[in-house]
Structures are given as C-alpha cells and as structure tokens.
Amino acid sequence: MLNGRSRQHSMRFWSLLLLGMLLICPVRTNLADAPPAGSEEGLATFYLPVIMHNCRVPWRWDAASPVLTANPAPGLATSPVGVIDRSGTLHVFWGRSEWSQSGAFIYHAALTTSGWTAPEPIRPTLGVSYSPALPLVDPDGTIHLLWLNKLTSSGPVRLLHSAYNGSSWSDEEAVFSYPTSASQPSGALQVDRDGTLYAIVQYNHYDSVLYQARKGAGGWQARLVPDTSLADIDMWALGDRDGGVRRFVSRYEGGDYRGYYSYWLDAAFRVTDAPFSPAPHGRAGDLDDDANLHVYWTESVPVPGGVGDGVFNACFGRDLRQLTPPQLLTARMAVTPPAVSAADDSGRWSLAWRLAESGQVEIAVWRGCQLQVIELAPLQGTPSATPIQAMLSRTPNRWCGLWDLGYDRYAVRCADVTLP
C-alpha cells in the first residue's frame, strides 16, 4: 500500500511522464471528411498520449547527392528507373528512344560514396534497346531488369531480361516477342515466395492482351492470361507473391466507368469479372508484399486561393474487402501530379508527392492498410522538377526518390527509414 506522500510522488511521476509523451508524440491525421482546406480545421492536429507508431526516431537523410547527368540522353517519352540493392546502393537505368539508330543500349549508373559511376551499357544488344521496366531485387540480392528491344524498324519487338550479381550482367534472354513494331509490350517483374521469377507482359492489339512468363531452368516460358470480358478501357495487371495475376479493368457502362476484377493462378481463373469499386479509370493501383491493394489518384480539392490537385488513397485487403475508405492525404496545399509509389518485401508501401507551392516532397508510408507516417523530405528544387519514382527497401531500411530536373539531369535524395 502507498502512503499519502508516496501516492503523491507516484501521481506526480505519471503526470510528468504523460506530459512528456504529449509533447513528443504528435499525431497528424488527414480525414476523408476534412473541412475545406482554407479553414483552420482543414488539417486536424491532435496530441495523444499513447500513439506508439508516431513516437519514432526521425528519418536520417543523406546529404544532397550529386546531380546525375544521363549521357547518352534518355529517349523521348522515356524516364530513368532505379532500385536500391541489399547494400543500400542506388542503381539507375535508362535507354534511348525506340527511333534511335542501331547500337542504342540500356545504360547503368550507380551512386557510390564518391559520386555516380560512369554510365555503361549493361549488354551490347543487337538493334535498339529502350524503355527499361522497374527493376527488381530478389531475395538473394540479384538485380533483375526488363527492357524493350527492336531488331529492325519493322520488328520484331522483344522484351529482354538480364540479371546483375553485383559485378557483371548475365546474357540477355527473350521473355516475349511480338512479330511487328505495331505494338509495344510492357513488362513488370515479380518473384513469388519460393523465389521463382515471373514477368507480367501486356500489349494492346485492339484490346489489352495479357501474358504471364515464368523463368525456369530452360529459360522463359510465356502463357496467355485469357480475356474474360468485353473491351476494357484501363487495366491494372498486378502480380502477387503467390505467383498469381490480379486483373482490374474499367468499362464504360450506363454513362459511367465501372470496375471488374479477375484472379488468375496456376493457369486457371479463381475469380472472374467480379464487380469492383473504384474503377481503375483515372487511378493507379499497387499491391504490397501481402497482396493488399493500394489505390491512389489526384483530383481537385479546395486550397487557399481556389482549387488544386489533392492526393487520395484507399486500401483493400487481399480478399478485396475495403479496409480504409478514400482519404485525402493533402489537406492544405495543392500538389503537382503525378504521385509516385513503391513497396518493399515486408508489407510496407509508400506514396510520395510534390507540394506545388513550396516544392517540398511529402512521403506517406503504410504497413498493410495502416498509415504509419507522413514524412517531409528535405528536397526543394525548381518548380518544374517532376517526381519520377520512389524506392523503398527493407534490407537495408532505405527510401529514395528520383526527380527529373530537366535537360537530362536527375536529382536523388535518400534516407535511412525508421518505422514500427
């Protein structure tokens, strides 16, 4: 039993502890039904005593990195892509235009402690190589890259793959080939939980055509993911860690866009054309490592002085049960589209956007469908700088952003990420 004086000291101790937590654990919440951005309530700020995911060590940002000047310059309508390897090194890749002359390759530069390495072609491919897809780091630390290659001006157009072990690139292999240059296939890499590498291949031939390619001992084998429906307007084709393909399409019906979902696994449909909302039209969708679906988009919202673009997000569990309703992430300031996203292999997913007026960058990070933090990045530049890509890794815990400064110059900013 505590006597009166002991009880008084105990109460004073807990009061001081509570006050300390109130001071160091601010929580910022942006609500879907927030008042207009011009009002004082546009961004609700609460101070709660026990919100452990906000009692965290701030991210430790690297010093500003040297600007990367891409030489030779990327082709028209193409942008570099990047990835963080297991040592924390950032690698950037780019290609020339599909209209380049023979001898145009995919180039690679890495950011080291002494600056950017000299750009070098990853493979001396025949024809013209261009449009690299987002790289992937597998559980062994190998970097995998897909890109397009055109042998002649009339075709065929091939989707090629090569792997980087930290010192050299493997011989390129053809993942998919289209006989003419009338269509440009696109590819996305995924590795399942057994370590098998997949590529989702999509091209347009009147409607979207979808293949899944699997890397085996004998090379790549592609099989058609059959169409189940009428012509689609937009499509997300997302690979999950089970080796499946989640297909979301929009169709214009009854004066509006409606969404539908199908799931293809082990050469068979497990779900076929189930209604899904919101429709993909005008939105983007990503899967995190646990197959939660993150949907995001920009639309006009009230901001001081008028209207501007705001960033919205909604999240669905792997069973497509909606776990968070659409929420406005940017309640006070307009943003400069587009927003860019990234996922790691631990169930975390991030979204970054640029504030139009200040030029600063905000980064939101979720674990599953739970928003963990919104971080302000110390990146300021010219108002015309455009976000290209976000990168997030678990081993090591790093976040990097890649921005286009114009005239074939690119800015990078990275941080050591501390999250629950």
Side-chain angles (χ1 to χ4, degrees), residues 51-70:
I51 304 294
M52 298 306 296
H53 68 265
N54 277 335
C55 294
R56 61 182 182 82
V57 178
W59 291 10
R60 188 171 71 247
W61 289 91
D62 298 349
S65 301
V67 171
L68 170 64
T69 300

PDB file of all heavy atoms in Angstrom, residues 51-70:
ATOM      1  N   ILE A  51       0.410   6.948 -28.795  1.00  0.00           N
ATOM      2  CA  ILE A  51       0.342   6.586 -30.209  1.00  0.00           C
ATOM      3  C   ILE A  51       1.760   6.168 -30.577  1.00  0.00           C
ATOM      4  O   ILE A  51       2.561   6.942 -31.063  1.00  0.00           O
ATOM      5  CB  ILE A  51      -0.135   7.755 -31.088  1.00  0.00           C
ATOM      6  CG1 ILE A  51      -1.485   8.271 -30.610  1.00  0.00           C
ATOM      7  CG2 ILE A  51      -0.214   7.327 -32.552  1.00  0.00           C
ATOM      8  CD1 ILE A  51      -2.620   7.280 -30.773  1.00  0.00           C
ATOM      9  N   MET A  52       2.068   4.906 -30.332  1.00  0.00           N
ATOM     10  CA  MET A  52       3.452   4.479 -30.378  1.00  0.00           C
ATOM     11  C   MET A  52       4.073   4.582 -31.765  1.00  0.00           C
ATOM     12  O   MET A  52       5.254   4.808 -31.899  1.00  0.00           O
ATOM     13  CB  MET A  52       3.589   3.054 -29.850  1.00  0.00           C
ATOM     14  CG  MET A  52       3.168   2.907 -28.402  1.00  0.00           C
ATOM     15  SD  MET A  52       4.027   4.058 -27.302  1.00  0.00           S
ATOM     16  CE  MET A  52       5.714   3.471 -27.474  1.00  0.00           C
ATOM     17  N   HIS A  53       3.235   4.434 -32.836  1.00  0.00           N
ATOM     18  CA  HIS A  53       3.850   4.476 -34.155  1.00  0.00           C
ATOM     19  C   HIS A  53       4.329   5.873 -34.539  1.00  0.00           C
ATOM     20  O   HIS A  53       5.037   6.035 -35.519  1.00  0.00           O
ATOM     21  CB  HIS A  53       2.910   3.916 -35.235  1.00  0.00           C
ATOM     22  CG  HIS A  53       1.693   4.751 -35.493  1.00  0.00           C
ATOM     23  ND1 HIS A  53       0.487   4.504 -34.894  1.00  0.00           N
ATOM     24  CD2 HIS A  53       1.497   5.830 -36.293  1.00  0.00           C
ATOM     25  CE1 HIS A  53      -0.408   5.377 -35.327  1.00  0.00           C
ATOM     26  NE2 HIS A  53       0.182   6.194 -36.172  1.00  0.00           N
ATOM     27  N   ASN A  54       3.951   6.908 -33.757  1.00  0.00           N
ATOM     28  CA  ASN A  54       4.497   8.225 -34.025  1.00  0.00           C
ATOM     29  C   ASN A  54       5.606   8.605 -33.051  1.00  0.00           C
ATOM     30  O   ASN A  54       6.208   9.651 -33.192  1.00  0.00           O
ATOM     31  CB  ASN A  54       3.390   9.279 -33.983  1.00  0.00           C
ATOM     32  CG  ASN A  54       2.657   9.358 -35.308  1.00  0.00           C
ATOM     33  OD1 ASN A  54       3.227   9.015 -36.333  1.00  0.00           O
ATOM     34  ND2 ASN A  54       1.415   9.800 -35.273  1.00  0.00           N
ATOM     35  N   CYS A  55       5.841   7.799 -32.010  1.00  0.00           N
ATOM     36  CA  CYS A  55       6.982   8.011 -31.128  1.00  0.00           C
ATOM     37  C   CYS A  55       8.155   7.275 -31.756  1.00  0.00           C
ATOM     38  O   CYS A  55       8.449   6.146 -31.399  1.00  0.00           O
ATOM     39  CB  CYS A  55       6.697   7.478 -29.727  1.00  0.00           C
ATOM     40  SG  CYS A  55       5.386   8.381 -28.882  1.00  0.00           S
ATOM     41  N   ARG A  56       8.824   7.891 -32.713  1.00  0.00           N
ATOM     42  CA  ARG A  56       9.792   7.190 -33.520  1.00  0.00           C
ATOM     43  C   ARG A  56      11.011   8.073 -33.721  1.00  0.00           C
ATOM     44  O   ARG A  56      10.973   9.284 -33.523  1.00  0.00           O
ATOM     45  CB  ARG A  56       9.196   6.839 -34.874  1.00  0.00           C
ATOM     46  CG  ARG A  56       8.769   8.053 -35.658  1.00  0.00           C
ATOM     47  CD  ARG A  56       8.135   7.720 -36.986  1.00  0.00           C
ATOM     48  NE  ARG A  56       7.795   8.924 -37.694  1.00  0.00           N
ATOM     49  CZ  ARG A  56       8.647   9.637 -38.419  1.00  0.00           C
ATOM     50  NH1 ARG A  56       9.904   9.219 -38.533  1.00  0.00           N
ATOM     51  NH2 ARG A  56       8.280  10.735 -39.028  1.00  0.00           N
ATOM     52  N   VAL A  57      12.078   7.455 -34.137  1.00  0.00           N
ATOM     53  CA  VAL A  57      13.277   8.202 -34.482  1.00  0.00           C
ATOM     54  C   VAL A  57      13.078   8.830 -35.856  1.00  0.00           C
ATOM     55  O   VAL A  57      12.653   8.148 -36.792  1.00  0.00           O
ATOM     56  CB  VAL A  57      14.495   7.251 -34.502  1.00  0.00           C
ATOM     57  CG1 VAL A  57      15.750   8.004 -34.907  1.00  0.00           C
ATOM     58  CG2 VAL A  57      14.670   6.595 -33.148  1.00  0.00           C
ATOM     59  N   PRO A  58      13.343  10.117 -36.009  1.00  0.00           N
ATOM     60  CA  PRO A  58      13.170  10.735 -37.331  1.00  0.00           C
ATOM     61  C   PRO A  58      14.055  10.065 -38.379  1.00  0.00           C
ATOM     62  O   PRO A  58      15.115   9.517 -38.066  1.00  0.00           O
ATOM     63  CB  PRO A  58      13.595  12.196 -37.096  1.00  0.00           C
ATOM     64  CG  PRO A  58      13.482  12.409 -35.625  1.00  0.00           C
ATOM     65  CD  PRO A  58      13.778  11.092 -34.991  1.00  0.00           C
ATOM     66  N   TRP A  59      13.602  10.116 -39.610  1.00  0.00           N
ATOM     67  CA  TRP A  59      14.417   9.585 -40.699  1.00  0.00           C
ATOM     68  C   TRP A  59      15.736  10.355 -40.772  1.00  0.00           C
ATOM     69  O   TRP A  59      15.782  11.572 -40.577  1.00  0.00           O
ATOM     70  CB  TRP A  59      13.680   9.727 -42.022  1.00  0.00           C
ATOM     71  CG  TRP A  59      12.481   8.840 -42.148  1.00  0.00           C
ATOM     72  CD1 TRP A  59      11.900   8.093 -41.170  1.00  0.00           C
ATOM     73  CD2 TRP A  59      11.698   8.629 -43.326  1.00  0.00           C
ATOM     74  NE1 TRP A  59      10.813   7.425 -41.668  1.00  0.00           N
ATOM     75  CE2 TRP A  59      10.665   7.729 -42.987  1.00  0.00           C
ATOM     76  CE3 TRP A  59      11.771   9.106 -44.624  1.00  0.00           C
ATOM     77  CZ2 TRP A  59       9.720   7.310 -43.914  1.00  0.00           C
ATOM     78  CZ3 TRP A  59      10.830   8.688 -45.552  1.00  0.00           C
ATOM     79  CH2 TRP A  59       9.816   7.788 -45.192  1.00  0.00           C
ATOM     80  N   ARG A  60      16.806   9.644 -41.080  1.00  0.00           N
ATOM     81  CA  ARG A  60      18.116  10.279 -41.209  1.00  0.00           C
ATOM     82  C   ARG A  60      18.425  10.444 -42.697  1.00  0.00           C
ATOM     83  O   ARG A  60      18.721   9.487 -43.404  1.00  0.00           O
ATOM     84  CB  ARG A  60      19.199   9.440 -40.527  1.00  0.00           C
ATOM     85  CG  ARG A  60      20.534  10.159 -40.480  1.00  0.00           C
ATOM     86  CD  ARG A  60      21.553   9.444 -39.616  1.00  0.00           C
ATOM     87  NE  ARG A  60      21.998   8.211 -40.243  1.00  0.00           N
ATOM     88  CZ  ARG A  60      21.737   6.985 -39.777  1.00  0.00           C
ATOM     89  NH1 ARG A  60      20.982   6.855 -38.694  1.00  0.00           N
ATOM     90  NH2 ARG A  60      22.194   5.911 -40.383  1.00  0.00           N
ATOM     91  N   TRP A  61      18.346  11.690 -43.152  1.00  0.00           N
ATOM     92  CA  TRP A  61      18.506  11.973 -44.573  1.00  0.00           C
ATOM     93  C   TRP A  61      19.975  12.111 -44.940  1.00  0.00           C
ATOM     94  O   TRP A  61      20.761  12.723 -44.211  1.00  0.00           O
ATOM     95  CB  TRP A  61      17.759  13.255 -44.949  1.00  0.00           C
ATOM     96  CG  TRP A  61      16.276  13.051 -44.927  1.00  0.00           C
ATOM     97  CD1 TRP A  61      15.429  13.251 -43.876  1.00  0.00           C
ATOM     98  CD2 TRP A  61      15.475  12.573 -46.010  1.00  0.00           C
ATOM     99  NE1 TRP A  61      14.150  12.926 -44.225  1.00  0.00           N
ATOM    100  CE2 TRP A  61      14.145  12.511 -45.532  1.00  0.00           C
ATOM    101  CE3 TRP A  61      15.740  12.197 -47.323  1.00  0.00           C
ATOM    102  CZ2 TRP A  61      13.087  12.087 -46.329  1.00  0.00           C
ATOM    103  CZ3 TRP A  61      14.700  11.779 -48.121  1.00  0.00           C
ATOM    104  CH2 TRP A  61      13.397  11.725 -47.634  1.00  0.00           C
ATOM    105  N   ASP A  62      20.335  11.523 -46.075  1.00  0.00           N
ATOM    106  CA  ASP A  62      21.680  11.696 -46.601  1.00  0.00           C
ATOM    107  C   ASP A  62      21.883  13.145 -47.029  1.00  0.00           C
ATOM    108  O   ASP A  62      20.928  13.879 -47.299  1.00  0.00           O
ATOM    109  CB  ASP A  62      21.909  10.803 -47.829  1.00  0.00           C
ATOM    110  CG  ASP A  62      21.790   9.324 -47.502  1.00  0.00           C
ATOM    111  OD1 ASP A  62      21.744   8.972 -46.304  1.00  0.00           O
ATOM    112  OD2 ASP A  62      21.746   8.513 -48.451  1.00  0.00           O
ATOM    113  N   ALA A  63      23.144  13.528 -47.109  1.00  0.00           N
ATOM    114  CA  ALA A  63      23.452  14.819 -47.713  1.00  0.00           C
ATOM    115  C   ALA A  63      23.009  14.796 -49.174  1.00  0.00           C
ATOM    116  O   ALA A  63      22.899  13.728 -49.794  1.00  0.00           O
ATOM    117  CB  ALA A  63      24.947  15.095 -47.622  1.00  0.00           C
ATOM    118  N   ALA A  64      22.728  15.953 -49.717  1.00  0.00           N
ATOM    119  CA  ALA A  64      22.279  16.032 -51.110  1.00  0.00           C
ATOM    120  C   ALA A  64      23.294  15.355 -52.026  1.00  0.00           C
ATOM    121  O   ALA A  64      24.496  15.619 -51.963  1.00  0.00           O
ATOM    122  CB  ALA A  64      22.077  17.482 -51.511  1.00  0.00           C
ATOM    123  N   SER A  65      22.812  14.465 -52.873  1.00  0.00           N
ATOM    124  CA  SER A  65      23.687  13.723 -53.776  1.00  0.00           C
ATOM    125  C   SER A  65      24.005  14.563 -55.008  1.00  0.00           C
ATOM    126  O   SER A  65      23.254  15.474 -55.373  1.00  0.00           O
ATOM    127  CB  SER A  65      23.006  12.420 -54.211  1.00  0.00           C
ATOM    128  OG  SER A  65      22.701  11.614 -53.101  1.00  0.00           O
ATOM    129  N   PRO A  66      25.126  14.263 -55.676  1.00  0.00           N
ATOM    130  CA  PRO A  66      25.402  14.953 -56.933  1.00  0.00           C
ATOM    131  C   PRO A  66      24.287  14.702 -57.943  1.00  0.00           C
ATOM    132  O   PRO A  66      23.651  13.645 -57.944  1.00  0.00           O
ATOM    133  CB  PRO A  66      26.724  14.315 -57.402  1.00  0.00           C
ATOM    134  CG  PRO A  66      27.309  13.680 -56.186  1.00  0.00           C
ATOM    135  CD  PRO A  66      26.161  13.284 -55.318  1.00  0.00           C
ATOM    136  N   VAL A  67      24.040  15.679 -58.775  1.00  0.00           N
ATOM    137  CA  VAL A  67      23.046  15.523 -59.837  1.00  0.00           C
ATOM    138  C   VAL A  67      23.560  14.526 -60.863  1.00  0.00           C
ATOM    139  O   VAL A  67      24.733  14.546 -61.242  1.00  0.00           O
ATOM    140  CB  VAL A  67      22.753  16.884 -60.500  1.00  0.00           C
ATOM    141  CG1 VAL A  67      21.899  16.714 -61.748  1.00  0.00           C
ATOM    142  CG2 VAL A  67      22.062  17.809 -59.509  1.00  0.00           C
ATOM    143  N   LEU A  68      22.685  13.606 -61.281  1.00  0.00           N
ATOM    144  CA  LEU A  68      23.032  12.649 -62.326  1.00  0.00           C
ATOM    145  C   LEU A  68      22.712  13.271 -63.686  1.00  0.00           C
ATOM    146  O   LEU A  68      21.575  13.649 -63.950  1.00  0.00           O
ATOM    147  CB  LEU A  68      22.234  11.359 -62.153  1.00  0.00           C
ATOM    148  CG  LEU A  68      22.306  10.353 -63.310  1.00  0.00           C
ATOM    149  CD1 LEU A  68      23.729   9.829 -63.497  1.00  0.00           C
ATOM    150  CD2 LEU A  68      21.337   9.197 -63.085  1.00  0.00           C
ATOM    151  N   THR A  69      23.722  13.384 -64.524  1.00  0.00           N
ATOM    152  CA  THR A  69      23.517  13.803 -65.908  1.00  0.00           C
ATOM    153  C   THR A  69      23.567  12.561 -66.780  1.00  0.00           C
ATOM    154  O   THR A  69      24.611  11.896 -66.869  1.00  0.00           O
ATOM    155  CB  THR A  69      24.581  14.811 -66.348  1.00  0.00           C
ATOM    156  OG1 THR A  69      24.521  15.962 -65.505  1.00  0.00           O
ATOM    157  CG2 THR A  69      24.354  15.232 -67.790  1.00  0.00           C
ATOM    158  N   ALA A  70      22.448  12.210 -67.369  1.00  0.00           N
ATOM    159  CA  ALA A  70      22.353  10.986 -68.165  1.00  0.00           C
ATOM    160  C   ALA A  70      22.994  11.218 -69.528  1.00  0.00           C
ATOM    161  O   ALA A  70      22.530  12.041 -70.310  1.00  0.00           O
ATOM    162  CB  ALA A  70      20.899  10.569 -68.329  1.00  0.00           C
TER     163      ALA A  70
END
